[in-house]
Amino acid sequence: ASFGLYFPRKEYSENVYIDQPAGTPLLRIHALRDAHGEVAHFHLCQNLIISRARSHENHWFQIREKTGLLYLSKSLDREDFNVLSVGNWMPLSKVMLYVFLSSHPFQEKECDSATRTTVFLSLINATAPACSSLTARQLCFTEMDLSFHIKENKPPGTFHQLQLPSVHHLCQNLSISYKLLAAEGMPFRYNENTTGVSVTQRLDREERERYELIAKCTVREGFREMQVEVPFLVNVLDEDDSPPFLPNGTDTADAVVEFNRKEGTVLATLTVCDADTTPIYPLESSRKKYTGTIITDDPWINETFRVEHIFDEIHFSPNGSQVRGTQHEYKLVLNKSISVTEHRSFQLDVLVNDTEFHGPERSVVLHFNVSILPVSIQFPNTTYQFTVNRNAERFAQIGKICIENCMKFRGVNITYKLLSPNVSCYAVSILQGREDKYGSLYVNDSSVLRRLECKEIQYTIQATDKQSRKHTKTLLTIVLEGTLLKKEEDCPDSCAVSKHYAECEECGGLGVLTGRCQWRQGSGKGITTNYSTCTPSIKTCPDGTCDVVESKDPAVCPQDCTSGNIIGGHGKGIGNLGIKSGHGICYCFPRQNCYCEKDDIKEQLCDEVCKTVI
Amino acid sequence: LAGPPSPPGQDPQGWRAPVDCVRANELCAAESSCSSRYRTLRQCLAGRDRNTMLANKECQAALEVLQESPLYDCRCKRGMKKELQCLQIYWSIHLGLTEGEEFYEASPYEPVTSRLSDIFRLASIFSGMDPATNSKSNHCLDAAKACNLNDNCKRLRSGYISTCSREISATEHCSRRKCHKALRQFFDRVPSEYTYRLLFCSCKDQACAERRRQTIVPSCSYEDKDKPNCLDLRNVCRADHLCRSRLADFHANCQASFQSLTSCPGDNYQACLGSYAGLIGFDMTPNYVDASTTSITISPWCSCKGSGNLEEECEKFLRDFTENPCLRNAIQAFGNGTDVNLSP
């Protein structure tokens, strides 16, 4: 695709003074070619844009169609100045006009060509200054940076004139000369007669993308000599002229589906590189330029897999100068969860296509060796046996039930169920753990534990995969042990209510395993996750997660599960549940407030604001 | 209303005080020709660019009539009642007229005329507890203390801090949307003598600079998993009327200028600091990038990686935050308590 002619700058600027005579040159605009033989024609939009929203018909400025010289066609008097200042609410009045470019003489003089550059003219509320009052910087350069962009692979040409036409016109008695300081071998030339700067050869961005030169200006006025140096920058613009390639030649990867069968799982990643840049802005169009498609006729493969494409900028150095390129990653992703019974192996090919590259090697094929292995739903060989103390209370956690590899599973939903026991001793129940990986066994009816005829209870546990309905069974034996303790009177329901070691360990509460609460002695240093507290079981409470059993009753472990107020220095847990960290001793009244405080010294409570003080 | 411009010297700044857009809209609605033209123009602008619009005779006629109405030059005030409505009216006209691809957009806000010295005068209430002579003092800590002594400042500060540090789940660190809203409330409703002291306090050690960096709870309001491209972020910001206006205001008031002593437009530090604070709580939220005491580097959460051919433009955009002498001078001047002395 041909870009056509283009401007090497996006913006130009110059000052305009009151009563400067008609014919005063203002600035020179250049165009660069896309192909040999193109001739540039410049044209001005007929509206001046004042203060963004307003516009005014242009009576004052014109451009030479062939040379790109912008000049005053009519003197700008004070009245004109007032007209053009309306709506400008900054002290400095600026008008903006667009210059258009075409390879043919302009037919219709309208503002609708795509190729344009912007000229900012600052209207100065004064007559043109005397040359002697201008600094060397003002005589030599405008305020705008000397920064240009040149497209790679395009014919050479002149793209800038260092001399300022307005200053040259105004200060003819001054000698202003320029030089372009460049390292040897740079593809730029300065012409002393015209002060024009040209690019002398086609540029290649993949070789070098930025040239930093220095423009030096010397002003001589009689015996006085002043010098100014400013940076002169050239950026090389990229086009898609490099094909995709494989780093290290790797085009194959293994993709194994076993325990992780969940939708969205990334199975394997292959990388494709390209020396061209790929803008991440706007993202969608870049994605369309570089495509990755699964080559298959199998509808099952199409439904089950997708390819995700991400890309990132990388740097490489062809000749010591750093240039940017792109690394594309193609990820093979599960598009839906795969059943545990599925068993297949095949090669999946992905066609990567650099759609804007015009050449034979515009695409590469990536190969993924996919193996989908079935997984078995079965318990480990042994049967389960748990011992439960007769003094355990309701919601005491006895243990976990887990099929083989259950913790490795993702995307597999297992349901655990207790089948009726042999006798009428229904003491325990089971609850599904997080993400349906395991089952938590807990005491459901503590009165059964106290019944002497219940000694050893046998259950059958069944685990079922929700999707395939595959199931497996094993035996569970619950052995009751211990002698019944006498219940303390005046003990609260919940261990968390106790504030001191003594009252904690002489009472029981919901969730206790042996009839007594347990005291956790914290480190006592500031606000810590290791705070002192009274709990039914140090193993499960507080551990930072409100598990399924704890969430059955707020009195079991409010330290992990409370959603109420916490008074005193503390940090809240995930999802605003529980006390993640506390100051001193933390105790709770279930369904009411929790308190964290130092027992010994009465310190001022620390609130949200105090906490953030470093 | 677009009569002859005011004679120079009528206003110290040289501009007319514009009508606010909500009021201008009311004035226009009361007049049948204006209101019908405004409707026409809004239809013209919907989904079209300036050039297509100007090609249509009816649209052009509407534009010409509206150029004479107060709607054309209307502006909005920061923190005014119905600010969003005012900005919606402003952009309903200006969005189609500006090109959208313009690097700097004109600010829809009225110019700020007050100066930093006004704030210093107000802040002198705290001078008793803020011994500037003591070289060991931590100005950022003093600013936090001063805020805690003011009920309004304390309430809104605790409000945003607790909102921004509330963990939602193991994967969602906090609610960024709520955090941004709370931050906007803080900066809109608390007087700037409190908020600027927190944001722009000067520091001699790292603990102080870290506190300064932490002012806006950056882990929630600023940082993100990925750093987007700055031009992409600018586009996201420009899709929102408020963010777009605040960004344009930042560019209008903090754009480095060679023509002034301080590098700030009109040597107005206060205006620059105000429009910087105005960006907090939006997609373009800026912050200190580190806790360095020697150099102040400010940036929004974005980079110029992946800019393709627009890298130059992206870096220019980013430099207005990272290497902006006006912004840096304004922050340092506030921290040191030195405003420029301007001849009246």
Side-chain angles (χ1 to χ4, degrees):
Chain A
S2 158
F3 290 104
L5 291 158
Y6 69 96
F7 290 105
R9 289 189 86 156
K10 260 194 161 170
E11 294 172 351
Y12 291 83
S13 76
E14 189 49 81
N15 295 333
V16 180
Y17 300 91
I18 288 180
D19 292 334
Q20 273 184 305
T24 305
L26 294 173
L27 59 101
R28 177 84 198 271
I29 289 171
H30 287 85
L32 282 169
R33 284 168 301 169
D34 182 55
H36 282 290
E38 276 180 319
V39 180
H41 296 264
F42 298 93
H43 159 60
L44 272 188
C45 174
Q46 277 170 325
N47 280 308
L48 291 174
I49 295 159
I50 318 167
S51 76
R52 308 305 206 272
R54 270 171 198 279
S55 61
H56 195 284
E57 212 178 319
N58 173 19
H59 302 302
W60 301 274
F61 309 102
Q62 275 186 35
I63 198 163
R64 299 226 187 277
E65 183 162 343
K66 296 270 173 65
T67 60
L69 182 77
L70 186 77
Y71 64 98
L72 264 177
S73 58
K74 179 174 173 289
S75 176
L76 201 80
D77 60 28
R78 191 161 294 279
E79 201 174 311
D80 297 332
F81 180 84
N82 287 342
V83 167
L84 292 179
S85 301
V86 168
N88 259 315
W89 56 298
M90 292 305 277
L92 185 71
S93 293
K94 257 187 190 175
V95 298
M96 193 167 89
L97 42 86
Y98 295 130
V99 175
F100 294 95
L101 188 56
S102 162
S103 54
H104 313 287
F106 277 86
Q107 304 289 322
E108 272 182 76
K109 306 230 156 184
E110 283 198 6
C111 312
D112 58 358
S113 158
T115 317
R116 67 166 194 216
T117 190
T118 312
V119 176
F120 291 100
L121 296 171
S122 301
L123 306 182
I124 313 285
N125 192 3
T127 53
C131 294
S132 56
S133 70
L134 293 174
T135 63
R137 177 74 172 76
Q138 289 170 313
L139 288 167
C140 292
F141 304 106
T142 61
E143 205 171 84
M144 225 166 240
D145 295 337
L146 284 177
S147 171
F148 305 88
H149 46 257
I150 296 178
K151 290 178 179 172
E152 65 171 335
N153 309 324
K154 302 296 171 204
T158 303
F159 61 94
H160 185 63
Q161 176 187 303
L162 284 167
Q163 184 185 66
L164 302 176
S166 56
V167 172
H168 184 66
H169 182 80
L170 188 70
C171 311
Q172 283 173 2
N173 54 340
L174 288 180
S175 148
I176 303 172
S177 61
Y178 294 89
K179 250 182 194 162
L180 198 61
L181 309 181
E184 278 294 299
M186 281 220 193
F188 302 101
R189 201 180 55 219
Y190 171 64
N191 180 333
E192 272 187 48
N193 299 326
T194 60
T195 75
V197 183
S198 48
V199 54
T200 56
Q201 63 186 58
R202 285 173 186 258
L203 302 179
D204 180 7
R205 192 206 63 89
E206 283 72 37
E207 211 168 280
R208 179 159 182 179
E209 59 177 343
R210 197 173 157 86
Y211 294 91
E212 296 176 10
L213 297 85
I214 289 169
K216 184 174 167 182
C217 172
T218 310
V219 181
R220 278 191 205 87
E221 190 185 13
F223 297 107
R224 232 153 55 98
E225 189 182 289
M226 293 173 287
Q227 291 192 331
V228 188
E229 288 183 2
V230 296
F232 185 103
L233 304 174
V234 178
N235 286 293
V236 185
L237 295 189
D238 191 27
E239 64 171 14
D240 197 341
D241 58 350
S242 318
F245 67 93
L246 296 160
N248 317 324
T250 314
D251 65 352
T252 309
D254 290 335
V256 181
V257 180
E258 197 175 5
F259 300 115
N260 194 346
R261 316 175 80 90
K262 196 177 176 165
E263 188 265 311
T265 301
V266 177
L267 301 173
T269 303
L270 281 168
T271 305
V272 176
C273 290
D274 193 313
D276 292 318
T277 61
T278 311
I280 57 171
Y281 156 83
L283 186 63
E284 279 317 305
S285 67
S286 293
R287 280 239 173 83
K288 279 180 203 141
K289 278 180 210 150
Y290 230 94
T291 57
T293 14
I294 298 177
I295 316 171
T296 180
D297 296 329
D298 185 340
W300 184 85
I301 291 179
N302 253 333
E303 267 170 43
T304 315
F305 299 93
R306 65 173 186 258
V307 169
E308 279 180 6
H309 171 209
I310 57 166
F311 53 90
D312 207 358
E313 190 174 285
I314 50 164
H315 291 270
F316 59 98
S317 318
N319 336 308
S321 111
Q322 208 181 45
V323 296
R324 298 167 298 152
T326 313
Q327 175 173 298
H328 299 266
E329 280 189 347
Y330 289 90
K331 294 172 189 289
L332 186 67
V333 178
L334 280 185
N335 205 25
K336 61 177 192 189
S337 295
I338 297 185
S339 161
V340 290
T341 54
E342 200 70 61
H343 187 190
R344 295 168 82 143
S345 294
F346 51 90
Q347 180 176 302
L348 190 152
D349 289 344
V350 172
L351 177 72
V352 171
N353 203 345
D354 180 357
T355 59
E356 288 194 350
F357 178 72
H358 297 281
E361 326 88 9
R362 61 195 291 185
S363 48
V364 290
V365 179
L366 306 176
H367 311 284
F368 291 98
N369 292 326
V370 181
S371 342
I372 302 174
L373 308 174
V375 287
S376 50
I377 303 293
Q378 62 185 46
F379 284 104
N381 285 342
T382 52
T383 56
Y384 284 96
Q385 177 164 335
F386 291 106
T387 317
V388 177
N389 190 295
R390 284 189 186 274
N391 298 297
E393 287 286 348
R394 196 163 185 231
F395 301 123
Q397 296 195 38
I398 300 160
K400 283 181 180 151
I401 306 291
C402 173
I403 59 166
E404 258 181 5
N405 299 309
C406 80
M407 296 312 283
K408 290 188 198 161
F409 282 131
R410 285 193 68 227
V412 180
N413 291 342
I414 307 290
T415 323
Y416 295 90
K417 209 164 87 181
L418 290 181
L419 302 180
S420 310
N422 50 353
V423 284
S424 60
C425 300
Y426 304 95
V428 303
S429 287
I430 199 161
L431 274 172
Q432 247 14 72
R434 271 192 305 164
E435 291 182 355
D436 291 345
K437 284 180 176 169
Y438 58 87
S440 283
L441 266 186
Y442 70 99
V443 174
N444 193 29
D445 188 348
S446 53
S447 67
V448 177
L449 303 178
R450 324 268 193 264
R451 276 159 46 194
L452 290 174
E453 74 271 22
C454 296
K455 281 178 187 138
E456 195 178 279
I457 318 157
Q458 292 218 326
Y459 293 87
T460 304
I461 318 173
Q462 179 177 289
T464 314
D465 168 47
K466 268 185 200 157
Q467 203 186 351
S468 66
R469 308 305 306 165
K470 281 207 152 213
H471 56 262
T472 179
K473 287 177 185 172
T474 191
L475 279 180
L476 163 70
T477 312
I478 303 277
V479 180
L480 302 184
E481 60 152 36
T483 46
L484 279 174
L485 296 169
K486 193 175 156 271
K487 263 204 166 186
E488 288 288 328
E489 292 197 3
D490 302 329
C491 273
D493 254 5
S494 171
C495 294
V497 172
S498 300
K499 239 178 112 172
H500 300 286
Y501 170 81
E503 69 193 47
C504 174
E505 298 225 329
E506 67 195 22
C507 276
L510 279 183
V512 298
L513 288 163
T514 56
R516 293 284 181 259
C517 297
Q518 298 178 333
W519 180 257
R520 185 176 84 164
Q521 184 61 42
S523 62
K525 280 187 188 138
I527 297 171
T528 164
T529 50
N530 187 19
Y531 53 84
S532 301
T533 197
C534 183
T535 157
S537 162
I538 289 175
K539 254 198 252 165
T540 53
C541 173
D543 61 355
T545 38
C546 185
D547 62 43
V548 273
V549 180
E550 286 167 356
S551 61
K552 291 280 275 185
D553 190 312
V556 180
C557 181
Q559 294 97 320
D560 278 342
C561 299
T562 183
S563 55
N565 290 327
I566 302 162
I567 291 135
H570 70 276
K572 281 193 178 174
I574 293 165
N576 240 11
L577 287 184
I579 311 168
K580 188 178 171 191
S581 51
H583 184 232
I585 299 164
C586 295
Y587 57 96
C588 295
F589 297 99
R591 296 180 195 86
Q592 293 172 47
N593 293 339
C594 289
Y595 300 84
C596 290
E597 62 193 26
K598 267 280 197 215
D599 199 28
D600 40 0
I601 1 161
K602 286 272 171 257
E603 276 182 326
Q604 210 182 351
L605 294 183
C606 195
D607 60 8
E608 290 289 347
V609 176
C610 134
K611 241 174 37 192
T612 60
V613 169
I614 298 149
Chain B
L1 250 159
S6 46
Q10 183 187 354
D11 180 289
Q13 305 294 334
W15 51 62
R16 286 180 303 150
V19 180
D20 86 58
C21 298
V22 177
R23 177 80 190 119
N25 191 33
E26 286 165 7
L27 291 174
C28 182
E31 207 185 303
S32 66
S33 80
C34 181
S35 62
S36 76
R37 300 297 169 135
Y38 180 38
R39 261 200 311 279
T40 310
L41 185 71
R42 278 202 299 199
Q43 277 162 8
C44 289
L45 291 173
R48 266 182 275 179
D49 66 18
R50 184 193 182 87
N51 300 332
T52 339
M53 198 210 75
L54 286 175
N56 182 313
K57 286 272 177 291
E58 207 183 331
C59 294
Q60 209 168 357
L63 186 65
E64 273 162 26
V65 170
L66 283 178
Q67 286 210 355
E68 306 303 316
S69 90
L71 271 174
Y72 228 77
D73 285 325
C74 70
R75 303 266 179 250
C76 304
K77 283 196 187 76
R78 182 96 63 70
M80 69 187 278
K81 231 164 92 182
K82 301 183 184 166
E83 181 179 343
L84 183 60
Q85 193 195 336
C86 183
L87 294 171
Q88 275 162 347
I89 296 166
Y90 178 90
W91 289 112
S92 73
I93 290 183
H94 291 252
L95 208 51
L97 297 179
T98 62
E99 290 295 327
E101 62 196 41
E102 248 179 86
F103 197 87
Y104 296 118
E105 293 186 312
S107 168
Y109 290 108
E110 281 186 10
V112 175
T113 48
S114 65
R115 311 210 71 91
L116 274 188
S117 24
D118 301 343
I119 290 187
F120 290 134
R121 204 170 53 240
L122 289 163
S124 63
I125 318 165
F126 313 113
S127 57
M129 56 174 283
D130 180 8
T133 45
N134 183 355
S135 63
K136 276 185 190 164
S137 66
N138 177 335
H139 292 287
C140 298
L141 184 60
D142 294 339
K145 286 183 193 161
C147 176
N148 281 357
L149 288 179
N150 175 287
D151 284 344
N152 189 36
C153 187
K154 183 183 174 181
R155 184 174 56 83
L156 289 167
R157 181 164 175 261
S158 336
Y160 83 74
I161 288 174
S162 59
T163 308
C164 298
S165 28
R166 189 171 299 148
E167 214 167 316
I168 304 295
S169 66
T171 48
E172 208 183 344
H173 177 61
C174 66
S175 163
R176 193 188 184 88
R177 196 180 53 79
K178 284 183 184 166
C179 170
H180 275 175
K181 192 178 172 202
L183 275 166
R184 292 200 297 270
Q185 279 182 352
F186 177 74
F187 286 102
D188 279 347
R189 297 188 193 165
V190 176
S192 51
E193 68 255 35
Y194 294 106
T195 57
Y196 289 13
R197 285 186 92 203
L198 283 164
L199 267 185
F200 309 121
C201 40
S202 67
C203 285
K204 293 197 181 69
D205 59 62
Q206 212 186 337
C208 171
E210 177 60 16
R211 173 184 281 278
R212 179 174 63 193
R213 191 183 77 80
Q214 292 281 357
T215 302
I216 62 166
V217 197
S219 61
C220 182
S221 69
Y222 180 65
E223 289 152 24
D224 211 341
K225 280 194 294 291
D226 305 309
K227 256 192 185 178
N229 182 273
C230 294
L231 296 176
D232 208 4
L233 189 66
R234 181 177 70 176
N235 254 23
V236 171
C237 175
R238 282 189 173 177
D240 171 64
H241 285 323
L242 265 167
C243 188
R244 184 179 203 132
S245 308
R246 300 296 174 93
L247 182 62
D249 197 48
F250 174 77
H251 281 144
N253 293 316
C254 294
Q255 202 187 123
S257 156
F258 296 106
Q259 284 159 344
S260 63
L261 187 71
T262 58
S263 301
C264 282
D267 287 316
N268 192 340
Y269 282 153
Q270 160 83 7
C272 177
L273 296 181
S275 48
Y276 173 91
L279 279 173
I280 295 172
F282 294 95
D283 292 306
M284 200 53 80
T285 299
N287 198 27
Y288 299 87
V289 297
D290 54 29
S292 161
T293 49
T294 47
S295 67
I296 289 176
T297 311
I298 300 279
S299 172
W301 188 257
C302 66
S303 81
C304 283
K305 218 175 153 192
S307 297
N309 279 339
L310 293 175
E311 192 173 47
E312 204 186 337
E313 181 172 348
C314 180
E315 277 174 356
K316 184 180 167 198
F317 177 81
L318 188 55
R319 269 200 306 273
D320 280 331
F321 292 91
T322 54
E323 290 168 38
N324 183 337
C326 163
L327 180 61
R328 196 178 305 140
N329 290 344
I331 292 175
Q332 276 165 356
F334 184 88
N336 301 336
T338 50
D339 196 2
V340 266
N341 285 321
L342 290 149
S343 43

